[in-house]
Amino acid sequence: MKVLAVLLLCVAVYAKHEQYAGWKSYYVGPKSQEQQQFIGSLVEEYELDFLSHAIIEQEGVVLVKPEHQDGFIKALEEKGIAYRIHAADVKAALDFDDAAIETRRRENLARNGIELPYDNYQEIEVIDAYLADVARRYPDRATLVTGGNSFEGRPINYLRISTTNFEDESKPVIFIDGGIHAREWISPPTVTWAIHKLLENVTEPDLLERFDWILLPVVNPDGYKFTFTNTRFWRKTRSTDQTSISTSCPGVDGNRNYDYFWNTVGTSNNACSDTFAGSTAFSEVETRVVRSILHEHLNRLALYLTMHSHGSMILYPWGNDGSLSNNALALHVVGVAMADAIAELSLPNFRRYVVGNSMLVIGYATSGDSEDYAHYIGVPLSYTVELPGLSSGLNGFHLDPIYIEQVCRETWEGIVAGARRAGDLFVSLAHRN
Ligand SMILES: *[C@@H]1O[C@H](CO)[C@@H](O)[C@H](O)[C@H]1NC(C)=O
Ligand SMILES: [Zn+2]
């Protein structure tokens, strides 16, 4: 009986990533803006899936389907663009990741603390249970809100954290979300870590006194669930009501679904594409939940951060055309302050953060992302944070779970620096008005 159970487990694990048989992934390192743009121009033709952006300072990682290997490599070689293999067998690398995660899960089974553990990636049910539990334990400061239900009916939960029950209108609000892109597993824990630091382990009490907080760890719970159960590299939502082919190609890229130059650049009209913008702006209930929060607190929202992975980048508007907003100086200065604070605590084998305009840093334009939308409606400081990833060699595709807590700790330092700067700027703005 026991043998059978073990056998079944192995079969379940190893049958899992069949859909990636024959796929390879590559590091790609453009040396010039021209090369960077050329790489961008190949995305559609070869159905490239970049797990991290290829920029001049650092290589990106791209997934390539079996049928496009030859064409893709030929195109790179013709332009003399440097590349090297990241995973020669994507399915094997994912199986390897699973084994590492499973080993850690078994090691940690005995531990059953109340606090959310940071030694592994957590399923959506565990995150939701934590949010409910921590809200119950800190009723004077934290309120659990279900902003809506996802396409498949899962609650989209967030915490409101305030020492004054959100009633002090003079306090700036800080809003952090994560998990809009389902596969970016390091994103939700950085948001729950902020909850931990504001409720369970308060070492910066000023942040609690000065600000009201909204922390939404998983914007896209359906997609997140699907990356655990079915398709590790799923990025989109799971809606099936967008086009006539959405039942066979579900989902919308949530970070192309916001109503700022929606579907004008860096998006796809093909429902099967990973950057499908949806049938209309805000077609997705998940992005509508974020929109509601942004608008509800707009008059005092000082800072909005949306957590993505990976690439170690802090990016600010405008992503659709590379132009700078009239708040660009503050965006840059506060972005650099966050990156410097992160660097203080970072590890030598982590990349230094790059700070800059979204389009200028990643080399191509994207439209309809939440960073641009939040800034467009009036949030003075709005950033996409591309968290670190260590996807080298045998580490496979996950940031090794041993680094989750490190990333959470250093990212929190960035949030602390960003919040304090945002608070100072907010006060000076309020006085001017
Ligand atoms: C916060 O956590 C650290 C360990 O990371 C611990 O040393 C410290 O005592 C904790 N502080 C509070 C106020 O809980
Ligand atoms: Zn992302």
Side-chain angles (χ1 to χ4, degrees):
M1 189 62 202
K2 209 169 192 178
V3 173
L4 183 65
V6 170
L7 264 177
L8 284 176
L9 182 72
C10 290
V11 169
V13 168
Y14 290 105
K16 207 171 150 193
H17 303 297
E18 274 319 323
Q19 58 193 296
Y20 296 112
W23 290 48
K24 294 183 201 297
S25 57
Y26 299 87
Y27 291 106
V28 181
K31 296 276 189 308
S32 65
Q33 210 146 21
E34 194 202 334
Q35 289 194 346
Q36 195 180 11
Q37 273 156 11
F38 179 73
I39 293 166
S41 75
L42 300 177
V43 168
E44 194 99 344
E45 185 178 357
Y46 297 111
E47 299 178 87
L48 302 178
D49 189 355
F50 274 91
L51 298 177
S52 70
H53 305 296
I55 68 173
I56 294 164
E57 291 89 347
Q58 55 191 36
E59 294 172 306
V61 176
V62 62
L63 283 172
V64 185
K65 291 180 181 177
E67 62 268 32
H68 293 310
Q69 309 283 340
D70 294 346
F72 174 62
I73 292 304
K74 200 156 157 264
L76 290 184
E77 287 181 344
E78 273 168 11
K79 291 276 173 181
I81 295 172
Y83 69 93
R84 59 194 176 101
I85 277 282
H86 166 262
D89 181 342
V90 166
K91 181 194 169 323
L94 288 173
D95 289 338
F96 177 88
D97 283 341
D98 282 356
I101 285 175
E102 190 53 37
T103 305
R104 268 186 101 69
R105 204 185 304 284
R106 267 190 245 112
E107 279 167 11
N108 297 323
L109 226 51
R111 294 181 37 184
N112 192 18
I114 301 172
E115 291 184 9
L116 186 68
Y118 288 86
D119 46 23
N120 215 331
Y121 296 102
Q122 305 299 336
E123 297 250 11
I124 185 67
E125 294 82 4
V126 176
I127 295 171
D128 279 334
Y130 169 73
L131 295 179
D133 180 62
V134 78
R136 218 177 295 122
R137 282 185 284 126
Y138 297 90
D140 54 330
R141 289 181 180 179
T143 311
L144 175 67
V145 182
T146 300
N149 287 318
S150 66
F151 185 82
E152 292 177 347
R154 294 185 178 83
I156 300 168
N157 288 328
Y158 61 91
L159 282 195
R160 286 160 60 113
I161 297 177
S162 171
T163 55
T164 46
N165 196 29
F166 269 75
E167 281 160 10
D168 182 347
E169 287 280 327
S170 70
K171 281 188 183 180
V173 174
I174 295 171
F175 175 24
I176 307 175
D177 73 34
I180 179 75
H181 284 152
R183 67 191 182 195
E184 297 169 8
W185 283 3
I186 188 59
S187 160
T190 62
V191 185
T192 53
W193 186 264
I195 293 169
H196 169 67
K197 293 300 296 175
L198 290 166
L199 295 174
E200 296 170 318
N201 181 272
V202 181
T203 48
E204 287 85 10
D206 60 308
L207 296 188
L208 209 47
E209 293 302 325
R210 268 177 95 182
F211 303 97
D212 287 344
W213 295 81
I214 295 171
L215 299 161
L216 199 177
V218 186
V219 174
N220 173 16
D222 296 347
Y224 188 69
K225 183 74 191 171
F226 198 67
T227 59
F228 281 81
T229 55
N230 294 65
T231 298
R232 174 61 189 98
F233 292 123
W234 193 259
R235 164 181 164 103
K236 300 188 288 181
T237 61
R238 293 291 301 162
S239 59
T240 55
D241 60 351
Q242 295 297 298
T243 72
S244 55
I245 60 163
S246 284
T247 43
S248 49
C249 281
V252 167
D253 183 343
N255 212 33
R256 302 288 182 275
N257 192 236
Y258 287 78
D259 197 7
Y260 180 71
F261 286 93
W262 174 79
N263 204 18
T264 53
V265 64
T267 52
S268 173
N269 286 316
N270 175 0
C272 299
S273 162
D274 252 345
T275 53
F276 176 48
S279 58
T280 61
F282 290 117
S283 61
E284 304 306 281
V285 62
E286 293 81 5
T287 56
R288 292 198 298 271
V289 166
V290 174
R291 176 182 66 178
S292 296
I293 296 169
L294 290 168
H295 284 275
E296 184 181 355
H297 304 286
L298 195 52
N299 61 330
R300 55 192 181 101
L301 239 176
L303 175 64
Y304 169 65
L305 301 175
T306 184
M307 298 301 190
H308 289 253
S309 76
H310 59 96
S312 302
M313 300 168 187
I314 294 177
L315 306 172
Y316 54 78
W318 306 106
N320 71 303
D321 66 0
S323 64
L324 294 177
S325 92
N326 53 19
N327 202 35
L329 181 61
L331 281 163
H332 193 77
V333 168
V334 176
V336 169
M338 290 193 280
D340 283 347
I342 292 170
E344 290 268 311
L345 204 73
S346 196
L347 300 179
N349 56 338
F350 279 32
R351 285 168 169 171
R352 282 284 309 216
Y353 267 79
V354 175
V355 180
N357 169 277
S358 289
M359 184 192 144
L360 300 182
V361 170
I362 67 177
Y364 54 89
T366 55
S367 60
D369 65 31
S370 66
E371 159 210 325
D372 272 1
Y373 180 76
H375 196 53
Y376 159 66
I377 62 169
V379 179
L381 298 169
S382 175
Y383 300 93
T384 299
V385 179
E386 294 281 356
L387 295 158
L390 288 180
S391 51
S392 56
L394 285 176
N395 279 334
F397 291 94
H398 297 280
L399 178 77
D400 190 312
I402 62 171
Y403 292 114
I404 296 172
E405 187 168 329
Q406 165 63 32
V407 171
C408 290
R409 285 181 185 279
E410 64 174 47
T411 305
W412 172 249
E413 295 304 318
I415 294 169
V416 170
R420 288 182 179 149
R421 297 277 186 137
D424 296 346
L425 287 167
F426 184 82
V427 169
S428 63
L429 273 177
H431 283 172
R432 213 177 304 147
N433 287 342

